[in-house]
Amino acid sequence: MSNSYKHNHYVPEWYQKRFLEVGKDKFYYLDLDPETIVNNGHAYKRRSLLRWAPSQCFAQDDLYTTRLGEIENRDIEKFFFGQLDTLAPKAVHHFANFEFGGKSEKAFHNILRYMSVQKLRTPKGLAWLRNVFNVAEHNTTLYYLQKWQNLFCATWTECVWQIADASKSSVKFIISDHPVVAYSRECFPNSKYCIGDNDPDIRYVSTHTYFPLSLEKILILTNLSWVRDPYQNPLKVRPNPDMIRPSMFHFMGIQHERYLSEEEVMEINYITKRRARRFIASSKEEWLYPEHHLRSTNWRKLGDGYLLMPDPRHINAGGEIIIGYNDGTSEAFSEYGHRPWQRGYKDSRRNDREWKSMEKFKAEWSAMFGPSYRGVVYDHGPRGTRYKVGDKYHAKECELDAQIFKQPGERSRRRKLRRK
C-alpha cells in the first residue's frame, strides 16, 4: 500500500513550529537516552544532540498503523488525527493570545479535546494506556486511544486555568516528546508514582497539568481543591474524581497576564525535561540544560513550592451553578461537578475546612508575594457579568461565562443561562 501517513508525528509539526524563533527552521534536539550502535564489533553511542527540522522530530514510522494479518490500515492518522490537527491550531492560538470573546467557547472545546488526545498519543501515553488496560496488542491500544479520547476533559474543566507569560524572560519554553505535563511536588521523578511511563494522577489534589502554547505562553491547570487548601494531604484524590461525566467551566475565572521570571521559566523547563520519555527540543541549545542554571533542583521546592500555583486571591468559596434551558428544564452543578442527587453536592464540613484554609493561604500568599496580584481575571465580560448571590454563582445574559463540557453520548441541547 502507499506510504502516505506512514511517518507519524506524535507531536505535530504545526505545534513544534510554535517553538522556533523567527528565522530559524531547525531545533536543537536532545536525545536523553541515545542508542548504542554495534558496527563490525565496535560499540558506540549515537550523538545525543542533533540539529533537526520539525519534520524529523518527535516522529515514528507506523505508530498509528493498525494491522490485520498482512493488511495495513492508516485511517487513524488520516482521519482521526487529521481532523484533530486541523481544529487544534486555532484553539491553541486563541489561548496563547487570550482575549475573552465570541470565539472562546469553540476554542475551549477544541483545545480540551486536543490536550486529552495529545497526552495519550505519544509513545509514553500509549505505553500508559497499555498498562492501564492490560493489553499488549497495538491495535487494541489504538482502539482505547480513540474510545477514551476525552478521558481527562472533565477533571481539567473544573481546574483553575492560568495562562502564564515568558515574554519578560530571556529564556523561553522548550518542548518534549510528552508535551502535556503532569507535575506534583510530592511525586518526584524517581518516586513510585513516576516509574516507567507513569505520571502523577491528575486527580491527586496537588497535581498540576501544564501545556506550553508557544515560545512565550503556557497553559497551567490546577485542581481547585489544592488552591483552596494546599495544607491537605497532597496525594489525596480530589472531590468527585469520576473522569467520564459532564462538567462546568467558567471563562471569567481564567487567570492571565502572569509574567514569569527567568528562574521560573527555567524551573518549568526543568520539569519538562525530567518528565520527558526520551527527547526534548529547543530553539536555543542552552535552554536544554536548565539544571545548570537553577539555584536548586529540589523537586518539592521549585518556585518556593508554588511554581505553578495560581493566585489564590482570585478564588472564592462556593461555586454552585444553576442553568436554565429554553424548554423550561434546568441543571445544577457543584464547583466540583457533583449533581444535586449525588453525595458531595452539599458538603458543609468540606466547605468550612476549605474556607478556613483558603483564608489562611491567601494571607500567607500575600506575605510571600506582596500585594500585587500574580495575574488578572475578567470581572466583567463583553456580553455580561457573573455575580454572586449567597454561595451561588449566576450569569446574566452571558452564555460564554459558563459552558458545559459533555462527554460523548450526553444529549446536547442549546444552552441559555437563566435570567435572574
Side-chain angles (χ1 to χ4, degrees):
M1 66 176 295
S2 168
N3 283 330
S4 300
Y5 307 105
K6 179 182 178 65
H7 192 56
N8 305 141
H9 281 84
Y10 49 87
V11 180
E13 288 186 72
W14 66 261
Y15 175 77
Q16 294 182 49
K17 291 175 182 178
R18 299 183 64 85
F19 297 85
L20 283 171
E21 293 181 301
V22 176
K24 292 188 176 181
D25 59 2
K26 289 185 178 181
F27 282 113
Y28 290 92
Y29 190 62
L30 183 62
D31 187 343
L32 301 172
D33 186 22
E35 296 173 332
T36 298
I37 307 296
V38 178
N39 187 14
N40 294 326
H42 298 282
Y44 64 94
K45 279 197 171 185
R46 289 183 54 186
R47 286 188 300 125
S48 60
L49 185 62
L50 306 165
R51 287 284 278 155
W52 279 6
S55 60
Q56 299 169 285
C57 299
F58 306 120
Q60 183 176 320
D61 284 349
D62 290 321
L63 184 61
Y64 306 129
T65 300
T66 57
R67 293 180 173 84
L68 183 61
E70 296 183 357
I71 300 174
E72 295 183 344
N73 186 293
R74 301 192 177 110
D75 284 352
I76 293 176
E77 171 73 359
K78 182 177 181 180
F79 297 108
F80 179 72
F81 290 115
Q83 181 196 47
L84 192 74
D85 291 325
T86 298
L87 298 174
K90 287 184 179 179
V92 171
H93 178 79
H94 179 83
F95 281 94
N97 302 274
F98 181 67
E99 183 176 339
F100 181 72
K103 297 181 180 179
S104 296
E105 178 186 1
K106 185 176 181 180
F108 162 73
H109 285 280
N110 286 339
I111 197 172
L112 199 64
R113 177 170 173 252
Y114 175 76
M115 286 175 58
S116 186
V117 174
Q118 179 62 77
K119 187 169 170 59
L120 296 174
R121 74 190 284 185
T122 66
K124 182 176 181 178
L126 292 172
W128 179 82
L129 270 178
R130 285 194 293 271
N131 182 57
V132 167
F133 291 103
N134 194 27
V135 296
E137 213 274 326
H138 185 61
N139 290 0
T140 307
T141 305
L142 293 175
Y143 163 76
Y144 281 123
L145 166 66
Q146 296 169 86
K147 180 178 180 180
W148 300 109
Q149 60 186 274
N150 295 315
L151 182 63
F152 307 105
C153 293
T155 303
W156 287 341
T157 297
E158 292 159 2
C159 283
V160 179
W161 285 41
Q162 176 189 180
I163 301 170
D165 190 316
S167 62
K168 295 184 179 181
S169 166
S170 62
V171 178
K172 309 302 179 183
F173 296 117
I174 66 173
I175 53 172
S176 77
D177 55 10
H178 194 63
V180 180
V181 182
Y183 165 80
S184 168
R185 68 186 192 187
E186 300 299 322
C187 303
F188 52 92
N190 294 322
S191 69
K192 64 180 180 179
Y193 307 100
C194 299
I195 291 175
D197 294 297
N198 290 324
D199 277 331
D201 194 320
I202 66 167
R203 296 169 297 174
Y204 290 157
V205 290
S206 63
T207 300
H208 307 266
T209 303
Y210 69 76
F211 178 55
L213 301 171
S214 67
L215 268 175
E216 295 186 340
K217 297 291 181 66
I218 188 169
L219 175 62
I220 304 170
L221 313 180
T222 304
N223 284 309
L224 174 63
S225 50
W226 186 238
V227 186
R228 287 180 169 179
D229 181 11
Y231 310 109
Q232 62 184 302
N233 178 357
L235 300 180
K236 179 182 177 182
V237 175
R238 53 153 283 170
N240 196 15
D242 185 6
M243 300 177 79
I244 305 297
R245 55 183 171 78
S247 52
M248 180 63 69
F249 180 72
H250 287 294
F251 281 95
M252 297 296 193
I254 296 177
Q255 298 188 21
H256 53 107
E257 295 185 25
R258 173 192 169 185
Y259 293 96
L260 299 167
S261 68
E262 187 171 288
E263 178 83 4
E264 289 172 323
V265 176
M266 288 191 294
E267 288 175 328
I268 291 172
N269 286 344
Y270 176 68
I271 296 171
T272 299
K273 184 175 183 177
R274 293 302 308 271
R275 299 308 303 134
R277 193 179 202 234
R278 181 173 173 181
F279 300 103
I280 59 175
S282 173
S283 196
K284 289 188 177 180
E285 181 179 355
E286 58 267 29
W287 296 348
L288 295 171
Y289 307 98
E291 65 276 11
H292 295 168
H293 308 284
L294 292 176
R295 292 174 297 168
S296 172
T297 57
N298 185 306
W299 199 248
R300 197 178 190 281
K301 295 182 179 179
L302 296 173
D304 296 318
Y306 294 129
L307 172 64
L308 303 177
M309 186 71 84
D311 195 320
R313 292 169 294 186
H314 289 304
I315 306 300
N316 299 306
E320 180 184 8
I321 306 295
I322 300 174
I323 306 170
Y325 295 101
N326 288 333
D327 61 5
T329 61
S330 62
E331 289 187 283
F333 296 80
S334 76
E335 65 269 42
Y336 294 116
H338 298 100
R339 309 307 295 276
W341 57 86
Q342 293 179 318
R343 184 178 181 180
Y345 182 74
K346 296 287 187 180
D347 191 331
S348 58
R349 291 181 62 184
R350 183 187 68 218
N351 291 343
D352 289 344
R353 186 194 74 246
E354 287 186 343
W355 173 262
K356 293 175 182 177
S357 298
M358 186 170 59
E359 291 304 300
K360 177 183 176 182
F361 184 38
K362 288 181 179 181
E364 177 187 318
W365 186 275
S366 296
M368 290 178 64
F369 298 106
S372 297
Y373 280 77
R374 190 158 84 169
V376 300
V377 296
Y378 283 107
D379 291 326
H380 300 277
R383 296 174 58 192
T385 303
R386 189 180 67 169
Y387 59 96
K388 189 177 180 184
V389 179
D391 64 345
K392 300 179 181 179
Y393 286 108
H394 297 264
K396 183 177 182 181
E397 297 179 353
C398 183
E399 289 196 25
L400 283 178
D401 186 23
Q403 294 293 341
I404 297 178
F405 171 80
K406 288 185 178 290
Q407 297 284 1
E410 288 286 336
R411 183 165 61 96
S412 63
R413 296 176 290 185
R414 179 171 177 79
R415 298 179 295 278
K416 180 178 180 181
L417 297 179
R418 178 181 297 173
R419 296 186 181 187
K420 293 292 182 179

